[in-house]
Amino acid sequence: MKKIIACINCENDTLENCVKSSREYENNGADELFIYSAADSEAEMENMLAIVKEVVRRVDIPVMIGTRAKRFEDIKKAFYTGAKKVVLQYRDIMGNDLVKEGSERFGKDSIIIEVNLAPEVNTEFFDDEKLLGSGLFGGVLFKHVDVSEKLKRQVLDIKLPVIIRDSLIRNDILSLISIDGVEGVATNFYASKALPSDTPFTDGPSTQAGNGIMLVKRNLKGDGIDVNTFDSKLQFSDLKKNSDGMVPVIVQDYRNNEVLMLAYMNEEAFNKTIETGLMTYFSRSRQELWIKGETSGHYQYVKELIADCDNDTLLAKIDQVGAACHTGNRSCFFNEMLKHEYEEKNAYAVLKNLYDVIVDRKLHPKEGSYTNYLFDKGIDKILKKCGEEATEIVIAAKNPNAEELKYEIADFLYHMSVLMVECKVDWEDIVEELSKR
């Protein structure tokens, strides 16, 4: 399957802007992100690494990082952001062992070589038999290309997956992605020339980018290119409708499973949702199609659609921008009617609640609080307690009493949570890292 990759040049940009663009690209259908900077000063590189690390935390699609590399330490830092692949410029790795060192440490499939094919650039890449025969990198990224027979031969000669990056127009995307050996094209979809001239823009960059990426992918699929689009295994005709010809949709946050709202779809709304990836409903009060967030900006991006056992109700798992409810509440379900008190047993919820309480203690110290005592004593005291509690776990595990072991593990998790707050690491960071293993 071929990929549509969104590019972000983070040089001279802010972390907030790059994270926002990354989230929009992901929600609007990009298969991967390529975040890069040509800057080579220490401060600018550190800024890029911080940006990519935060982006990796905030998106679910793979991220590639393009960085200047003067030493192996630069490659290590790039991978430690959590990026899946590191793109190294050919000019930086000519005649040295950077690719070899990176490949041996992180695997050859995670190393990509960027080659500038602009006519004015004198590149020795295609004559570098030592590098091309080394088997030490997993692919090539070509930039500044001309669509030509020569390019097709160059791609085939590489015998590795190739990504094309450039400021592309729609016909270039089709021409380039059709080439055997090209696994994807990468461009900035916020640049108007990267979008079809007949793209139906609406206000806001999210919708503009979404229309562009999804429309390009639909057109590519129509041209016989195998790309990832939203395609439902069930058609609307397969669903059981109510007397108004509609199907109720329960809407749920895809990360924490919070139920956000209930709405209805007719066939047009269903098809529009599949086509665009934006949750679209039929408003019974206004008797019209309703793209959630069209006026408020609180869009809902589809992650998963599931039909129930009778095919008469849909469950939509979505990424919600802002509030789902017109009142400004995150969820429409906030009017508590009755509640039987119960103890929370969901493991993630318990750990997150504990973390949130510790954060609150740090922000709003409470007299006599043991947590505040640890924060006041500083990192060395917190580390000492974590070490002591870890030792207690080892001792308890040697005894046959499971109750003691549970107690010591819980004690350790509390102190570890204090350490996490102190070091600005949260449970999403930990869960994300575990999911990679």
Side-chain angles (χ1 to χ4, degrees):
M1 184 172 290
K2 304 220 175 185
K3 302 173 185 175
I4 298 296
I5 302 166
C7 292
I8 297 175
N9 183 353
C10 68
E11 188 174 352
N12 300 320
D13 206 347
T14 66
L15 185 148
E16 291 76 15
N17 283 342
C18 291
V19 170
K20 181 174 182 289
S21 296
S22 299
R23 294 274 291 157
E24 289 173 350
Y25 276 138
E26 176 190 25
N27 282 327
N28 288 307
D31 298 306
E32 292 186 12
L33 293 173
F34 176 42
I35 304 177
Y36 65 94
S37 171
D40 58 0
S41 76
E42 200 71 30
E44 290 169 322
M45 290 180 70
E46 288 298 326
N47 181 59
M48 181 189 67
L49 295 173
I51 287 172
V52 175
K53 185 175 182 180
E54 184 62 20
V55 167
V56 169
R57 288 185 68 248
R58 298 289 300 278
V59 303
D60 298 320
I61 57 177
V63 177
M64 298 189 297
I65 178 173
T67 182
R68 301 298 305 273
K70 302 173 184 176
R71 52 193 177 169
F72 177 58
E73 188 70 19
D74 296 328
I75 298 176
K76 281 204 303 185
K77 287 182 177 180
F79 275 111
Y80 290 164
T81 63
K84 296 290 186 184
K85 296 179 181 179
V86 171
V87 180
L88 303 173
Q89 296 185 27
Y90 177 63
R91 60 176 171 165
D92 288 337
I93 55 93
M94 291 173 60
N96 57 49
D97 291 327
L98 284 177
V99 171
K100 182 175 184 293
E101 292 175 302
S103 175
E104 289 176 349
R105 174 65 178 83
F106 299 102
K108 71 179 183 66
D109 290 338
S110 62
I111 304 290
I112 306 294
I113 307 298
E114 177 181 294
V115 181
N116 189 342
L117 295 186
E120 67 273 13
V121 177
N122 182 22
T123 176
E124 302 172 5
F125 175 75
F126 294 103
D127 298 320
D128 194 337
E129 295 181 1
K130 181 180 178 181
L131 176 66
L132 291 174
S134 68
L136 292 175
F137 57 103
V140 179
L141 185 147
F142 288 145
K143 67 177 182 179
H144 304 320
V145 303
D146 286 323
V147 182
S148 64
E149 290 302 317
K150 180 182 178 181
L151 175 65
K152 294 178 182 179
R153 290 195 301 272
Q154 289 171 329
V155 170
L156 289 175
D157 289 344
I158 294 300
K159 296 182 175 60
L160 286 169
V162 171
I163 295 169
I164 306 290
R165 176 176 80 84
D166 220 322
S167 296
L168 304 168
I169 61 175
R170 176 179 167 187
N171 289 334
D172 286 335
I173 293 178
L174 176 58
S175 300
L176 291 171
I177 207 167
S178 303
I179 298 174
D180 289 341
V182 171
E183 74 166 14
V185 295
T187 190
N188 176 0
F189 280 87
Y190 291 142
S192 59
K193 64 180 178 178
L195 301 172
S197 59
D198 59 348
T199 297
F201 293 151
T202 56
D203 291 338
S206 288
T207 308
Q208 179 175 335
N211 285 339
I213 295 175
M214 293 304 294
L215 185 55
V216 166
K217 292 175 86 170
R218 288 281 172 191
N219 288 334
L220 289 173
K221 195 146 195 172
D223 288 319
I225 306 298
D226 186 17
V227 290
N228 182 29
T229 57
F230 290 112
D231 292 308
S232 176
K233 295 177 181 178
L234 295 177
Q235 303 304 310
F236 194 75
S237 58
D238 298 319
L239 304 176
K240 296 177 184 177
K241 277 72 73 176
N242 63 17
S243 58
D244 295 325
M246 291 186 283
V247 175
V249 184
I250 300 167
V251 184
Q252 188 178 39
D253 186 293
Y254 85 108
R255 285 186 181 272
N256 60 20
N257 292 328
E258 179 184 12
V259 178
L260 299 176
M261 58 181 281
L262 172 69
Y264 290 82
M265 283 183 180
N266 62 4
E267 185 169 9
E268 185 181 5
F270 175 84
N271 291 335
K272 198 74 174 174
T273 298
I274 301 300
E275 177 188 341
T276 65
L278 288 168
M279 290 301 296
T280 306
Y281 309 105
F282 186 82
S283 172
R284 295 174 299 167
S285 60
R286 299 192 304 271
Q287 285 294 297
E288 63 182 17
L289 212 63
W290 165 40
I291 299 174
K292 175 66 177 174
E294 192 170 28
T295 55
S296 66
H298 295 167
Y299 293 101
Q300 293 177 342
Y301 296 98
V302 182
K303 295 296 183 180
E304 192 173 2
L305 279 181
I306 306 167
D308 74 344
C309 56
D310 295 320
N311 284 353
D312 62 5
T313 304
L314 298 181
L315 174 65
K317 295 194 173 186
I318 58 97
D319 187 7
Q320 174 72 56
V321 176
C325 184
H326 72 282
T327 64
N329 283 281
R330 171 72 176 174
S331 169
C332 292
F333 297 95
F334 59 87
N335 290 314
E336 186 175 303
M337 298 173 64
L338 60 87
K339 183 177 181 180
H340 181 78
E341 294 300 326
Y342 61 92
E343 186 176 338
E344 178 65 73
K345 294 293 181 69
N346 179 283
Y348 182 79
V350 170
L351 290 172
K352 184 161 188 323
N353 288 340
L354 171 63
Y355 185 93
D356 291 343
V357 169
I358 294 171
V359 169
D360 185 68
R361 285 287 187 272
K362 188 172 179 65
L363 295 175
H364 308 100
K366 189 174 181 180
E367 188 176 351
S369 165
Y370 175 66
T371 302
N372 287 129
Y373 163 77
L374 292 174
F375 284 134
D376 290 342
K377 290 296 183 181
I379 186 70
D380 288 342
K381 179 65 175 179
I382 297 170
L383 291 173
K384 183 173 183 291
K385 289 300 299 181
C386 286
E388 290 174 356
E389 298 304 335
T391 303
E392 293 294 333
I393 289 176
V394 174
I395 294 171
K398 297 293 289 183
N399 299 325
N401 190 338
E403 292 301 319
E404 182 182 354
L405 180 59
K406 287 191 294 184
Y407 179 86
E408 298 300 346
I409 290 175
D411 226 10
F412 174 76
L413 286 173
Y414 159 75
H415 286 91
M416 185 180 70
S417 296
V418 174
L419 176 64
M420 288 165 59
V421 173
E422 179 71 11
C423 296
K424 297 181 174 59
V425 175
D426 63 24
W427 280 108
E428 285 194 9
D429 297 322
I430 305 302
V431 170
E432 180 184 350
E433 183 61 33
L434 285 172
S435 70
K436 298 174 185 175
R437 301 189 177 190

